[in-house]
Amino acid sequence: MIADSTAPIAQPLVKSPRLWMPKRVVFTPDALNEPFGQAIYERISALNLPIEVAKGNRITGLRGADERETYRIAKNTLAIVNAPPSAFRLQPIPPSADWQMNLAEGCPAHCQYCYLAGSLAGPPVVRAYANLPNMLAHTATYEGTYPPNKSWQGTEAGRPTTFEVSCYTDVLGIEHLTGSLAECIRYYGSREMGQLRFVTKYDHVDSLLNLSHNGQTRARFSLNADQIARRLEGGTASVEARLQAMRKLALPKELGGGGYPIGLVIAPIMPIPDWREHYTALLDRIANVLDFGPIDMNVEFISHRFTPGSKDILLQWYPNTSLEMDEANRAEKRNKFGGTKYVYRPEEMKEMKAFFYAEWARRFPNAPILYWT
Ligand code: SF4
């Protein structure tokens, strides 16, 4: 039953971030030769941002005197470039999707636990790809293919192949500048065997509401306890603003919404003092906001982790951070390539996982839990 779904939801803490306006926008000559690069150029010109065209296809002038300054310069720079040929060889990204297809790398937000620290080479400048339409067309060759993963349990045959576009950026945080997410949503809206996944901590979703997604895009929102988001997720929309945006995208089209399948990524989960109360408040608020049904929704739970490399970079970017990264409080885990990561201790993990599984199932029995990690 659809119950009073057009009634406004109480909005006590809605705070949208200002749209990111980079101080420097640089196009490479190759990017400007692409029709989609031209479209981005026009969008950015209309916003009256100063535009440079680089002499060659390398972007220079991104280094400051130290890591902090390099960070500041890079986080104020948008480069429009062509993705290199290696970006056309897609990497598996189970269990959240089959393949990752990056429409950009680098992110305008300032999360003090940022997943990009240590995984992107060089200064954290935002690079958006002008040859995106070619990359999208190329993903057709991956449709019907599924990287091996035990969580599929043989269910893959015949289902659409899923493509994740937000592994290295926040796609909605740069959408007003590039239009790349809309391009992807429209493309997969025309595919039967390819589906899109994206995730965001922003809330500017109005430009997505009327796109022909045909149910082929799952719009996911990264959410956390309010205390954690306020303290550690600089430059993003408040949790309440994200919830309102999620509601807009999930509402059926006939009720003025986007009619998208949605997903929640609760991450990074941290056992802060009184964590049960804080996360109960979040889960209750999610249930209040999604007061209509039925909703095509699932959830992913990701606990906080760090590596020696990411800790090192994060402490250079955010020297005064209050993020807990004490190896003595963690369990060490080795990956198959010999790298180390620090996760919560097994007993803490078990307790948190049991809490989230029980509390989720109690509120949302029809919304599958994809995994806990
Ligand atoms: Fe990093 Fe994601 Fe935060 Fe962007 S939104 S700063 S990619 S953690």
Side-chain angles (χ1 to χ4, degrees):
M1 193 181 80
I2 295 176
D4 196 20
S5 38
T6 48
I9 294 288
Q11 303 181 12
L13 294 164
V14 184
K15 184 170 160 280
S16 290
R18 268 191 319 204
L19 288 174
W20 182 56
M21 293 295 169
K23 294 202 170 82
R24 185 179 176 213
V25 182
V26 197
F27 283 77
T28 62
D30 279 1
L32 267 183
N33 281 335
E34 295 287 336
F36 190 65
Q38 282 291 331
I40 298 178
Y41 186 94
E42 276 158 32
R43 242 174 204 271
I44 291 174
S45 304
L47 291 168
N48 287 325
L49 294 174
I51 297 178
E52 293 167 38
V53 179
K55 285 205 177 66
N57 286 314
R58 270 174 55 86
I59 310 289
T60 54
L62 296 172
R63 290 264 171 214
D66 55 24
E67 277 304 318
R68 278 289 291 163
E69 201 188 340
T70 300
Y71 174 88
R72 255 196 311 277
I73 294 170
K75 284 274 184 175
N76 277 306
T77 304
L78 171 64
I80 311 297
V81 303
N82 276 353
S86 59
F88 286 72
R89 282 192 302 279
L90 304 190
Q91 299 301 314
I93 182 83
S96 69
D98 293 311
W99 303 103
Q100 53 170 300
M101 204 284 300
N102 299 306
L103 56 77
E105 289 189 356
C107 174
H110 303 272
C111 301
Q112 295 178 29
Y113 54 75
C114 181
Y115 310 113
L116 303 185
S119 54
L120 287 183
V125 58
V126 180
R127 288 171 212 273
Y129 297 139
N131 52 349
L132 177 65
N134 302 338
M135 298 170 79
L136 285 170
H138 183 68
T139 66
T141 64
Y142 284 80
E143 289 179 5
T145 71
Y146 313 92
N149 184 263
K150 62 178 182 324
S151 55
W152 302 158
Q153 296 171 337
T155 58
E156 55 272 47
R159 73 154 166 81
T161 301
T162 51
F163 298 93
E164 167 66 71
V165 283
S166 30
C167 293
Y168 289 122
T169 187
D170 192 301
V171 289
L172 201 52
I174 58 172
E175 178 63 5
H176 57 293
L177 299 163
T178 66
S180 306
L181 178 57
E183 185 75 13
C184 294
I185 291 173
R186 279 191 294 261
Y187 175 78
Y188 288 105
S190 71
R191 308 299 302 174
E192 272 179 20
M193 283 299 286
Q195 290 185 339
L196 180 70
R197 302 270 182 275
F198 74 86
V199 63
T200 185
K201 291 191 182 92
Y202 284 83
D203 68 329
H204 303 101
V205 294
D206 288 355
S207 64
L208 310 182
L209 289 177
N210 295 320
L211 299 176
S212 305
H213 59 78
N214 288 325
Q216 297 292 78
T217 290
R218 187 171 297 275
R220 287 139 72 233
F221 285 82
S222 170
L223 296 168
N224 213 326
D226 207 33
Q227 279 69 6
I228 295 174
R230 284 177 192 231
R231 188 161 56 89
L232 299 176
E233 296 179 348
T236 63
S238 68
V239 171
E240 185 62 26
R242 290 176 224 172
L243 289 171
Q244 297 295 334
M246 182 171 76
R247 173 182 166 86
K248 270 192 197 172
L249 288 188
L251 258 183
K253 280 191 183 271
E254 56 275 21
L255 294 174
Y260 283 83
I262 57 165
L264 285 84
V265 181
I266 303 199
I269 294 171
M270 300 178 187
I272 56 173
D274 301 323
W275 61 268
R276 280 187 192 75
E277 284 76 10
H278 292 304
Y279 284 110
T280 297
L282 173 67
L283 295 172
D284 284 347
R285 191 67 196 123
I286 295 168
N288 286 341
V289 166
L290 300 176
D291 62 343
F292 54 93
I295 303 174
D296 179 348
M297 167 168 90
N298 60 32
V299 66
E300 297 155 70
F301 295 117
I302 304 174
S303 61
H304 179 250
R305 66 260 340 273
F306 62 93
T307 66
S310 68
K311 176 177 175 178
D312 187 44
I313 292 176
L314 287 171
L315 290 178
Q316 292 179 47
W317 288 353
Y318 308 107
N320 302 321
T321 187
S322 58
L323 175 63
E324 179 276 313
M325 289 189 286
D326 183 353
E327 293 82 352
N329 294 334
R330 302 292 185 118
E332 201 176 320
K333 238 179 147 176
R334 298 225 162 239
N335 69 22
K336 57 185 173 196
F337 308 110
T340 300
K341 64 182 167 190
Y342 293 97
V343 299
Y344 293 114
R345 293 208 182 103
E347 60 279 15
E348 235 171 356
M349 285 285 233
K350 214 170 135 194
E351 214 181 314
M352 291 192 290
K353 181 177 176 182
F355 167 85
F356 278 99
Y357 273 55
E359 295 298 317
W360 182 264
R362 202 155 68 73
R363 290 170 181 78
F364 310 106
N366 301 316
I369 296 171
L370 295 189
Y371 60 88
W372 165 279
T373 188

